[in-house]
Amino acid sequence: MVTVNPKTFIQEYFEAISGKPKTMDLINKYVSDEHLAGHIMDYENSFPCYELIAEDMICEDDKIAVRARVKGEHKGQLMGYPPTGKTIDIPLSVIYQIEEDKIAKGWIFVDHMELMTQLGIISLN
């Protein structure tokens, strides 16, 4: 059962984590999905204090789709690649399912080719 307004909840969530340190206490306030929480912490370790900028949101019932951008500086290992010090600004889409006033499930869609290109790990030329 959802007792919060999903759009307002996700806006508050983005505001709480964007550009700030993401601790497990903070993540647990908003997220009950262990897989999503682990993903957030992995990217926090790779791109400390990364920013999430929501560009569009569409809500229906207990789900909310977000078109957004993620910005950050690569300061920690990512998928086996050492820090490059390069900044990223990549598009992403995510669908959240809200249950019991937390994110119970998250489906994230990121352009990994664009991510690897911006980090200089691959070249499309």
Side-chain angles (χ1 to χ4, degrees), residues 13-69:
Y13 165 68
F14 270 48
E15 175 70 26
I17 70 167
S18 182
K20 299 173 183 131
K22 292 151 199 70
T23 64
M24 280 310 297
D25 285 342
L26 177 60
I27 299 307
N28 288 334
K29 178 178 176 182
Y30 295 95
V31 178
S32 62
D33 177 1
E34 291 179 18
H35 179 74
L36 178 60
H39 173 82
I40 294 165
M41 294 310 296
D42 286 347
Y43 273 78
E44 178 66 8
N45 290 330
S46 299
F47 301 93
C49 298
Y50 66 83
E51 295 178 79
L52 284 174
I53 299 100
E55 296 178 334
D56 287 313
M57 293 187 191
I58 301 170
C59 300
E60 187 167 325
D61 300 325
D62 64 344
K63 292 188 180 75
I64 182 163
V66 182
R67 184 177 63 87
R69 303 198 70 72

